[in-house]
Amino acid sequence: MGKTASFSCTACGAVHSKWSGRCEACGEWNTIVEEAQLSTGPASKSLGSKRGTPIQLADLATEEAPPPRTQSGIAELDRVLGGGLVPSSAILVGGDPGIGKSTLLLQAAAKFGAAGVKVFYVSGEEASAQVRLRAQRLGLGDAPVQLATATSLRDILTTLEAEKPDLVIIDSIQTMWADNVESAPGSVAQVRASAHELTTFAKRKGTSVILVGHVTKEGQIAGPRVVEHMVDTVLYFEGERGHQFRILRSVKNRFGPADEIGVFEMTGAGLAEVTNPSALFLSDRGDPAPGSVVFAGIEGTRPVLVEMQALVAPTPHSQPRRAVVGWDSARLAMILAVLEARCGIPFAGLDVYLNVAGGIKISEPAADLAVAAALLSAREDTALPQNCVLFGEISLSGALRPVAQTGNRLKEAKKLGFTSAILPSGGKSEGSGGLTLTQMSDLTGFVGEIFGAG
């Protein structure tokens, strides 16, 4: 009896019995692809065999300390990993083409190798001479890193079994192919099978594995979403081609805080660490201008000060434009609605443009107050004081709600020379010595106090 075909959605992983243009589970179009069925072995009487005998958690040797993390020597990378590389961990790194993933991992491999870690770098996209050429350009030609160029998963695993490295870097997972899967390299079945085999090898042998993944045009890692569920840590390498900044962001981490970021600067000699990203993001900020405010944000455990820029201009079209770079467009629509409904400030007939300077992406609700202040400043053509930071969440009723880690935000602002801060009332303000604090309870009072309207 022949095998029946199976179809799965690359966006949500749902399995379908036949192909269709739209996934009924998640609603995405053109995401259903055919994959080969895995071979089924002889049916066993019970899944609970001798090898699957459960043990009590209390019976484990509690006196055994967990294996120590390995420091890479790149402080920004160690920060994103949660303090260093955990043995037996599987890490997935995604990013746009040419953003610097291979450069960063080659630098990290050289640092790990210099620290005594046995590193195995497997490139499926470049020849060994090309990898050596990049290493020489980065000044890493003598790095103690073993290099291999292969795409056959069977050959790679056989070599790793014999070499027993401490760290394996696979560049990239989309180029790997397993000969027991009847599918082309890069397909859903191949990516899932290759990621599963490499993750299983990491857990079984105590080797850390770093997988490089391509991204789609939407910015998500290409392939089935189940790959992100298999690994322990998912990192995204972000950045704009027009900026020299690169941000390594942790979106999932079983061994550390999620949403942690590491900031790098692209130079001719590779990626350099940025120890004070706030000063770098604000370095090009000149004299106070309408529509420009400084937001004191938190990325993971790190306070980051960024400039929010807004432009409000009359529109020649019947439908005003709402353009956003670096923030959520739905959140901007909500702020505009609250300003009109609660404060009586309309934006009808006006184009609104919002930009987060430096190429960084902000996702926390604490930026609501800074965005509202930038919009009002641009609309009224009134500049806010230069040495003032803002943060706070705006509710639909127009009230200002306090946010977490207020003390860390104020300490970072004070360290960079800011003298005043506008924040919601009710928040803890430890570490604000030397700063003039203006606490507001609602958006109407903020508009009346700062802009004399509302």
Side-chain angles (χ1 to χ4, degrees):
M1 188 174 179
K3 296 180 181 179
T4 59
S6 175
F7 300 87
S8 64
C9 175
T10 59
C12 65
V15 179
H16 303 270
S17 60
K18 61 180 181 179
W19 185 90
S20 62
R22 185 172 185 263
C23 177
E24 297 178 357
C26 63
E28 294 290 335
W29 288 89
N30 299 324
T31 57
I32 297 179
V33 296
E34 182 179 0
E35 61 178 9
Q37 288 279 8
L38 296 178
S39 59
T40 56
S44 59
K45 295 181 179 179
S46 173
L47 291 178
S49 59
K50 293 182 179 179
R51 292 185 179 180
T53 303
I55 59 174
Q56 293 292 334
L57 182 63
D59 294 339
L60 297 177
T62 57
E63 66 273 6
E64 294 182 3
R69 296 175 183 261
T70 304
Q71 302 288 332
S72 66
I74 303 178
E76 294 297 303
L77 177 60
D78 292 335
R79 169 192 287 272
V80 177
L81 292 176
L85 189 65
V86 177
S88 303
S89 61
I91 302 167
L92 180 61
V93 181
D96 293 331
I99 204 69
K101 301 184 298 295
S102 300
T103 300
L104 175 63
L105 292 179
L106 191 58
Q107 291 181 238
K111 289 282 189 179
F112 278 118
V117 178
K118 189 175 182 180
V119 183
F120 207 87
Y121 190 100
V122 181
S123 177
E125 299 181 342
E126 298 175 293
S128 57
Q130 294 174 314
V131 179
R132 288 195 186 97
L133 185 62
R134 186 195 300 123
Q136 292 174 359
R137 178 174 57 85
L138 299 175
L140 306 173
D142 299 330
V145 177
Q146 295 184 349
L147 176 64
T149 55
T151 57
S152 174
L153 189 62
R154 185 181 298 275
D155 296 342
I156 293 172
L157 290 176
T158 303
T159 305
L160 296 180
E161 290 277 358
E163 295 290 338
K164 296 180 174 61
D166 300 316
L167 172 63
V168 179
I169 299 175
I170 305 294
D171 188 8
S172 66
I173 188 62
Q174 274 82 11
T175 61
M176 299 294 112
W177 66 278
D179 52 14
N180 61 332
V181 178
E182 298 176 359
S183 183
S187 62
V188 173
Q190 285 284 2
V191 171
R192 178 189 292 136
S194 300
H196 177 264
E197 291 290 342
L198 291 167
T199 303
T200 303
F201 174 83
K203 304 301 181 184
R204 180 167 47 89
K205 294 295 184 180
T207 300
S208 299
V209 176
I210 298 179
L211 310 176
V212 178
H214 296 165
V215 296
T216 62
K217 61 182 180 180
E218 291 83 12
Q220 302 295 323
I221 295 179
R225 183 55 62 90
V226 70
V227 174
E228 297 189 22
H229 304 329
M230 289 180 187
V231 298
D232 302 309
T233 303
V234 179
L235 308 179
Y236 276 89
F237 208 35
E238 305 170 354
E240 300 290 339
R241 292 296 181 92
H243 296 280
Q244 71 271 28
F245 312 132
R246 300 290 186 269
I247 298 172
L248 185 65
R249 184 185 302 274
S250 168
V251 298
K252 171 190 174 182
N253 195 352
R254 290 175 179 156
F255 311 114
D259 291 328
E260 188 68 84
I261 67 167
V263 184
F264 299 87
E265 183 178 6
M266 181 62 77
T267 65
L271 289 162
E273 299 179 68
V274 177
T275 56
N276 191 352
S278 298
L280 191 61
F281 290 139
L282 299 176
S283 59
D284 296 332
R285 188 168 183 262
D287 296 333
S292 172
V293 301
V294 177
F295 164 60
I298 294 288
E299 294 292 334
T301 60
R302 159 184 279 174
V304 177
L305 268 61
V306 294
E307 181 183 2
M308 312 289 285
Q309 301 171 344
L311 176 64
V312 178
T315 179
H317 309 289
S318 58
Q319 186 70 24
R321 291 198 62 186
R322 304 287 187 258
V324 187
V325 177
W327 207 51
D328 186 13
S329 58
R331 198 86 185 172
L332 174 63
M334 187 201 78
I335 299 299
L336 294 174
V338 172
L339 285 173
E340 182 166 358
R342 305 303 179 188
C343 303
I345 301 177
F347 283 82
L350 298 173
D351 286 337
V352 175
Y353 302 89
L354 181 68
N355 176 49
V356 182
I360 190 172
K361 295 180 181 178
I362 302 297
S363 59
E364 60 171 337
D368 290 350
L369 184 59
V371 170
L375 294 173
L376 292 170
S377 174
R379 186 182 186 278
E380 302 298 326
D381 198 25
T382 302
L384 271 74
Q386 182 178 14
N387 295 323
C388 179
V389 297
L390 300 93
F391 57 89
E393 181 181 355
I394 298 176
S395 65
L396 293 179
S397 64
L400 296 181
R401 304 175 61 183
V403 296
Q405 303 191 44
T406 300
N408 292 336
R409 301 173 197 263
L410 296 176
K411 288 179 183 177
E412 182 74 7
K414 180 182 177 182
K415 184 173 69 174
L416 292 178
F418 288 85
T419 58
S420 61
I422 301 176
L423 65 158
S425 58
K428 300 179 181 179
S429 57
E430 295 89 350
S432 61
L435 288 176
T436 303
L437 303 183
T438 304
Q439 296 187 338
M440 300 287 180
S441 60
D442 54 28
L443 190 59
T444 304
F446 168 78
V447 174
E449 179 72 20
I450 304 301
F451 298 97

